[in-house]
Amino acid sequence: EIVLTQSPGTLSLSPGERATLSCRASQSVSSSYLAWYQQKPGQAPRLLIFAASTRATGIPDRFSGSGSGTDFTLTISRLEPEDFAVYYCQQYGSSPRIFTFGPGTKVDIK
Amino acid sequence: QLQLQESGPGLVKPSETLSLTCTVSGGSISSSSYYWGWIRQPPGKGLEWIGTVYYSGSTYYNPSLKSRVTIYEDTSKNQFSLHLRSVTAADTAVYYCARDSVTRFDYWGLGTLVTVSS
């Protein structure tokens, strides 16, 4: 079973700053199978990025994803007030069919 | 616009069965392009995939929950349901239904809090 680790646990930044979030897998993950979500308090998660670097419909281009193998990154180029939230990475395994989420990174206002 | 809505009891007694239904509107669960899944989130904690059902009836479950979970679909009502047996306080969580687009979840319900308590 692949385990996802996210770092840092909490990232304290100011609006306008750049955020870099890391997701590390215990085994190599196909780039096609890595996604990122944003969750605000009291809301359902929202898909941001799939296939490691493809933005989901309606996601602003300040969000970008990159990485391969065991190391993946979500970057928010310039933080907007609405971007302060918790971010989760997720991997899909095809055999057997299984989904695993990382523990999350909280981006809060400095 | 695809919408998903969870429904079911908000309180379940220990050792009983948690049962939730997800009603899908704006799209058909009979589509061969998608799966339909359940994810949960204990209060203040992270996300855990529970399982997924395909239009054919095939199911896929989290190994850690497999012995207690059943997910099935009712295509006539455009709904899919979750049964989680022998619940304990550790099963207290917000339960989400979502569309599984093979490698990710792209549409989510609002979630429903289920508390396990006597």
Side-chain angles (χ1 to χ4, degrees):
Chain A
E1 177 187 340
I2 295 178
V3 176
L4 299 178
T5 303
Q6 292 187 242
S7 61
T10 301
L11 192 54
S12 297
L13 295 169
S14 300
E17 289 192 297
R18 181 184 187 90
T20 303
L21 288 67
S22 172
C23 177
R24 181 160 290 176
S26 60
Q27 303 172 42
S28 185
V29 173
S30 167
S31 296
S32 298
Y33 297 165
L34 196 287
W36 290 92
Y37 300 83
Q38 175 194 67
Q39 186 178 34
K40 298 178 183 179
Q43 296 185 17
R46 176 175 71 146
L47 178 67
L48 295 176
I49 301 283
F50 64 95
S53 61
T54 303
R55 278 187 298 276
T57 303
I59 301 304
D61 60 8
R62 63 180 180 274
F63 291 93
S64 63
S66 63
S68 64
T70 60
D71 291 303
F72 297 88
T73 300
L74 174 69
T75 301
I76 310 170
S77 58
R78 289 178 57 86
L79 282 163
E80 297 287 342
E82 62 268 28
D83 298 337
F84 291 92
V86 179
Y87 294 84
Y88 295 95
C89 59
Q90 168 250 299
Q91 73 90 24
Y92 162 76
S94 60
S95 185
R97 195 162 196 278
I98 189 170
F99 292 90
T100 306
F101 290 91
T105 290
K106 182 178 182 180
V107 179
D108 66 14
I109 300 176
K110 189 173 183 180
Chain B
Q1 174 76 350
L2 188 74
Q3 293 187 326
L4 298 90
Q5 176 70 59
E6 305 88 353
S7 60
L11 181 64
V12 180
K13 290 183 169 55
S15 80
E16 295 190 346
T17 297
L18 179 160
S19 298
L20 296 174
T21 295
C22 183
T23 300
V24 178
S25 57
S28 172
I29 68 167
S30 300
S31 168
S32 61
S33 300
Y34 304 105
Y35 299 70
W36 304 90
W38 290 95
I39 299 105
R40 70 180 183 178
Q41 185 172 37
K45 296 188 178 180
L47 300 165
E48 180 181 36
W49 173 68
I50 301 171
T52 289
V53 63
Y54 191 45
Y55 84 104
S56 63
S58 296
T59 51
Y60 310 86
Y61 299 131
N62 187 323
S64 69
L65 297 170
K66 187 174 183 177
S67 64
R68 298 194 291 132
V69 173
T70 301
I71 296 175
Y72 63 94
E73 55 185 1
D74 184 340
T75 55
S76 67
K77 296 181 179 179
N78 218 35
Q79 296 175 334
F80 60 104
S81 296
L82 166 70
H83 286 348
L84 179 64
R85 297 175 291 279
S86 304
V87 298
T88 69
D91 295 308
T92 293
V94 175
Y95 285 76
Y96 296 100
C97 60
R99 188 176 80 172
D100 167 356
S101 292
V102 182
T103 64
R104 69 272 185 186
F105 298 96
D106 56 359
Y107 286 89
W108 295 64
L110 296 177
T112 187
L113 174 63
V114 179
T115 301
V116 178
S117 176
S118 56

